[in-house]
Each structure stands twice: as structure tokens, then as C-alpha cells.
Amino acid sequence: MSLFSMPFVDSGVDTALHVIASVVMVGTIAAAAFGFWRLHELPIQKAHSKDHHQLGLITALTWIGFVWHWVWVIAVVIAFVDGEQALRRIRDIWKGDTPSQQPAASMEKVDAVISTPKQETEHA
């Protein structure tokens, strides 16, 4: 046996190993492409689940995002951020209403709810 002899050369095992390696390589590439597709479809799925009003815009930005990836980031932000709630929060900040100033009456309600179970356990 030579020092430079290679195992499995010119045998059926050699062909089988090449076939297995090719199947694994194609499967890995297909799985990566499928994962990339599912990741890019994430904003559309989120928009469908929330019945988002800008579904067409999110879909178009997602498709454009396959070419320009920064556009996909915009689609993700639009899909996941509740625009109405964000605008209300910005409006409240602009008016100067901070969260510590707003819920003064609601804090009394929270204290009442918290103290109610304590009073029930004291009577029991």
C-alpha cells in the first residue's frame, strides 16, 4: 500500500459519498433560502395578524427589501410599531404631560384595588 493512496477512490463508496455531500449541500442552501424568505415575510405576517391599515405599504416595502435591505427595516418598524399609540405618546410629551403627572387619579384606584384584598384577608 502506497503512502499516498486515498481511501474510497474508484469505488462505489466514493460515488455514494459524493451524492450524500451534494444532497447535504443542496439541502443546506434550500434551508437557508427558506429561512431568509420566512424572515423577510415576518412584517407581512405581523401586519395580517394585527389587521394593519397599511398592509399594502408593508407588503411593497418587504418586496423591495429583497433588493435594498434598509427598506425591509422600515417595513418591520411600520408593522411592529402601533402608529396611533406612538402618535398619542408623542402628543402627550409635546404637551408636557409626563406619565407621573397623568395618572394621579388612577394611582388612587390602583391603591384601592391593592388594599381591597388585604382588607378581605384581615376579616377572614
Side-chain angles (χ1 to χ4, degrees):
M1 187 161 177
S2 169
L3 182 63
F4 295 106
S5 67
M6 296 176 60
F8 308 121
V9 175
D10 294 331
S11 67
V13 177
D14 182 37
T15 305
L17 289 175
H18 276 89
V19 169
I20 291 171
S22 299
V23 168
V24 168
M25 184 179 67
V26 169
T28 302
I29 292 171
F34 181 73
F36 184 71
W37 176 263
R38 294 291 293 176
L39 180 68
H40 264 270
E41 289 290 315
L42 190 67
I44 296 173
Q45 292 173 1
K46 182 67 174 180
H48 275 293
S49 69
K50 287 176 34 177
D51 290 331
H52 205 284
H53 298 294
Q54 297 295 330
L55 184 61
L57 174 66
I58 293 169
T59 303
L61 290 175
T62 301
W63 279 97
I64 294 170
F66 278 110
V67 178
W68 296 312
H69 300 295
W70 61 270
V71 176
W72 180 79
V73 174
I74 295 171
V76 170
V77 170
I78 293 172
F80 281 86
V81 173
D82 185 7
E84 294 176 19
Q85 184 180 8
L87 286 174
R88 273 190 245 117
R89 180 72 181 126
I90 291 170
R91 182 194 63 207
D92 293 342
I93 291 171
W94 184 265
K95 287 182 177 180
D97 297 337
T98 60
S100 61
Q101 293 173 350
Q102 284 180 346
S106 64
M107 287 304 291
E108 294 171 1
K109 293 178 185 176
V110 170
D111 290 338
V113 170
I114 292 173
S115 63
T116 302
K118 289 180 184 176
Q119 292 171 354
E120 290 175 2
T121 56
E122 290 174 1
H123 294 294

